[in-house]
Structures are given as structure tokens and as C-alpha cells.
Amino acid sequence: MNKQDIQNLAENALHEACRYMQDALGVKTGDNAAYFFSGEAEDTIYRIFRNYIEDELSIQEYKNEDN
């Protein structure tokens, strides 16, 4: 998985998380999420998700080396 794949996965994770919460709250549009998760907040969330994805990939790689 390359850096662009990881970024795409992080972006999709944020979108799905927002959609899940919006559905539970009865929110009809993503306008507030688009505003709320812009700029520094968006960068921070993406960085957290990328770090998590990279950690999962490292664990998979480590487990594959053991087999």
C-alpha cells in the first residue's frame, strides 16, 4: 500500500465516521462536517488515521515474517 492509498483510506475513514454519526443524529447534510473537519482539524484527523493504518500494516508485515 503506497502513501496515496493510505491517504485515501484515511479520508474514507473520516467520511464514513461522519456519515455514521450523521445518520445516528438524523443529520441530512454534511455541511457542518465539511466546515468542522477543515484546516488543522482535518490535517490532525488524517494524520491520526494514517498513523493507525501504518501501524496496522507494520503489524501485518511482522506477522507475515513469522510465518
Side-chain angles (χ1 to χ4, degrees):
M1 184 170 279
N2 64 38
K3 287 189 180 276
Q4 187 58 52
D5 291 336
I6 292 170
Q7 180 63 31
N8 290 342
L9 188 55
E11 289 175 13
N12 287 336
L14 177 57
H15 297 158
E16 286 299 313
C18 288
R19 185 188 59 77
Y20 182 83
M21 289 182 277
Q22 290 164 349
D23 287 350
L25 297 170
V27 175
K28 301 295 183 199
T29 70
D31 295 346
N32 187 47
Y35 175 75
F36 188 88
F37 291 108
S38 63
E40 188 176 336
E42 180 181 45
D43 295 341
T44 300
I45 295 291
Y46 287 158
R47 186 178 67 250
I48 291 167
F49 280 142
R50 284 193 310 266
N51 288 344
Y52 171 66
I53 294 162
E54 290 168 354
D55 191 59
E56 288 289 356
L57 290 170
S58 293
I59 291 169
Q60 284 181 355
E61 188 176 309
Y62 177 77
K63 287 180 179 180
N64 289 338
E65 289 175 1
D66 284 346
N67 292 329

